[in-house]
Amino acid sequence: MARGHDGEQDRALGELTRYRRDLHRIPELDDELPQTLAYVAGVLEGLPCEVLAPCEGALCAYFDLGRERTVALRADMDALPVAERTGAPYASGCPGRMHACGHDGHMAMALAAATWLGRVLAGEDPQARAADLPRNVLIVFQPAEETTGGAARVCASGVFGSVRAERVFGFHLWPDLPLGAVASRAGALLARSSEVTACFRGRSSHIARWREGRDALAASARLVPSAEALCARLAREAGEPCLLRFGRLEAGTVRNAIAGEARAEGSLRVFSDAMFDRAREGVRRVAEATARAEGCAVELSFSEGYPPVTNDEALFGRVAAALPELGRIEEPLLIAEDFSFYQRELPGVFLLLGTGTGIPLHSDRFDFDERALLCGLDCYRRLVLMD
């Protein structure tokens, strides 16, 4: 668990718990975060920082210490359209909305880091002084991680260049790690995710006259195993993950008529732009071949999605030295996260923080012990103090 004097620990845990539970009660979605933004701004008010609004739905706290460079910390603010079933006394007060992915905890750590910086700059922290801080600090509170990628809009605002940011750090709560454990890996950590949609158009006919039809259902049914097998083969050949699975297939109107239209929906997960390009081209060839075999036409689309989360190797080495307790994730994980946009702007390291519950992310019963946040806050402190 986190280090430090008992009194400081108690104060920090009290702050973290209050922030997290207050925010848990007011979950908001996408870019529409008025209550959340007001709460964050209220905590930042009175701290020795400049509050910036780089883009819609985002706030930044900039602690300008007069240093040449800046370190950035990131928290996402949006919740999910999930009806909470935790039964917690601090449960969501907004029907049909819930912080089911830990963003309330991410914000709580970032706000606690801000109040800690305020105490350091005021000479009130027993373990750190303003002179110990080698960089200015920018704390980013962003919208729309779950939907449209608010991180990309923060980057496009130019805020990192304006404060001369040279590195960025972020956390994600992780149910499969022990309470308070911190882990990550150099290089690829999380996947690029792309939504794949294949729409087949054929000709409907009664099955008694099936030769007159053009079977869109059969074309889509051929596509699913063929495209999935193609991506598995690409992964074996390249020695890096490439996963395509389909979760939805819709076709036809009645059981005794050839389907004139069909739609297959899936998700592609890769860890490099090169593999994305190879998979996209390969799946396109497969879709066209299956359409031709049934005399159908096909329209295939891939969403751009988020880039893969790829930890800067040199910076990761420094983080590992500063956090000797850091565990290693052996294989990249197949979830996606828009922190990747920051890593395309400047070197960054993304860390996983264990809740120890095993309750999946996005579950309507997602909850955690706030003591985990103490460990994340302690890591943030050491990363801010890192040369």
Side-chain angles (χ1 to χ4, degrees):
M1 298 294 286
R3 305 177 305 176
H5 298 298
D6 289 345
E8 288 298 307
Q9 290 281 84
D10 291 343
R11 174 161 67 174
L13 181 57
E15 285 184 350
L16 288 162
T17 301
R18 182 172 73 255
Y19 297 154
R20 183 261 166 151
R21 296 188 179 189
D22 286 350
L23 289 161
H24 191 86
R25 293 185 178 98
I26 55 168
E28 296 174 296
L29 306 179
D30 199 21
D31 292 307
E32 300 299 319
L33 309 169
Q35 288 183 280
T36 305
L37 288 167
Y39 186 91
V40 170
V43 174
L44 298 177
E45 185 179 359
L47 294 178
C49 63
E50 180 182 3
V51 178
L52 311 171
C55 62
E56 180 185 2
L59 281 181
C60 295
Y62 179 46
F63 292 82
D64 186 355
L65 310 180
R67 311 294 193 251
E68 184 177 344
R69 298 291 176 185
T70 298
V71 57
L73 312 179
R74 172 274 202 157
D76 37 11
M77 297 186 290
D78 56 320
L80 288 159
V82 172
E84 181 163 356
R85 297 179 61 199
T86 64
Y90 46 85
S92 168
C94 306
R97 303 201 301 261
M98 176 191 176
H99 271 298
C101 201
H103 295 189
D104 50 348
H106 304 165
M107 287 187 281
M109 289 190 293
L111 289 171
T115 57
W116 169 73
L117 285 165
R119 289 195 292 272
V120 171
L121 296 180
E124 298 172 356
D125 187 272
Q127 299 178 71
R129 302 169 301 154
D132 298 328
L133 297 167
R135 293 170 186 78
N136 311 313
V137 182
L138 180 75
I139 304 180
V140 178
F141 297 87
Q142 68 146 89
E145 188 279 326
E146 299 286 357
T147 53
T148 56
R153 298 195 291 279
V154 173
C155 292
S157 75
V159 66
F160 291 121
S162 70
V163 301
R164 305 175 306 283
E166 68 171 0
R167 56 179 62 166
V168 60
F169 301 110
F171 271 102
H172 203 302
L173 292 180
W174 204 248
D176 296 331
L177 288 171
L179 178 68
V182 180
S184 190
R185 71 191 306 273
L189 175 66
L190 306 180
R192 175 173 182 165
S193 173
S194 175
E195 295 177 347
V196 182
T197 305
C199 297
F200 292 88
R201 294 190 308 278
R203 181 192 304 151
S204 183
S205 68
H206 193 281
I207 61 169
R209 305 180 66 167
W210 65 272
R211 290 183 179 86
E212 297 176 7
R214 299 290 181 266
D215 198 336
L217 186 154
S220 63
R222 288 189 184 198
L223 169 71
V224 171
S226 299
E228 291 179 351
L230 166 80
C231 289
R233 178 173 60 79
L234 291 176
R236 290 193 300 272
E237 292 174 353
E240 65 174 281
C242 177
L243 175 73
L244 173 62
R245 304 297 290 185
F246 287 87
R248 187 168 186 267
L249 182 62
E250 182 179 6
T253 55
V254 294
R255 72 178 67 227
N256 61 343
I258 298 298
E261 295 184 352
R263 180 184 177 95
E265 299 177 354
S267 184
L268 173 67
R269 304 294 168 102
V270 297
F271 292 89
S272 70
D273 292 342
M275 180 60 86
F276 178 73
D277 292 340
R278 290 182 64 191
R280 180 168 53 180
E281 181 56 32
V283 173
R284 190 173 304 282
R285 289 195 302 270
V286 169
E288 291 170 352
T290 57
R292 281 195 306 272
E294 297 294 339
C296 297
V298 64
E299 292 182 4
L300 185 68
S301 64
F302 294 78
S303 69
E304 284 300 310
Y306 300 162
V309 171
T310 305
N311 288 330
D312 183 85
E313 303 248 357
L315 183 58
F316 184 86
R318 305 193 69 165
V319 169
L323 307 178
E325 75 275 25
L326 182 66
R328 300 300 190 273
I329 303 296
E330 292 187 9
E331 298 290 337
L333 304 167
L334 289 168
I335 68 164
E337 232 282 355
D338 77 347
F339 186 84
S340 53
F341 287 109
Y342 299 125
Q343 294 175 314
R344 293 201 162 187
E345 193 81 5
L346 66 164
V349 171
F350 197 55
L351 303 162
L352 305 179
L353 176 61
T355 67
T357 64
I359 303 171
L361 301 173
H362 294 208
S363 165
D364 57 8
R365 299 183 184 277
F366 183 81
D367 200 1
F368 59 91
D369 185 331
E370 287 90 354
R371 287 179 299 163
L373 305 179
L374 272 176
C375 302
L377 175 60
D378 180 58
C379 291
Y380 267 154
R381 291 172 173 174
R382 285 183 278 164
L383 294 172
V384 165
L385 291 166
M386 187 175 73
D387 288 338

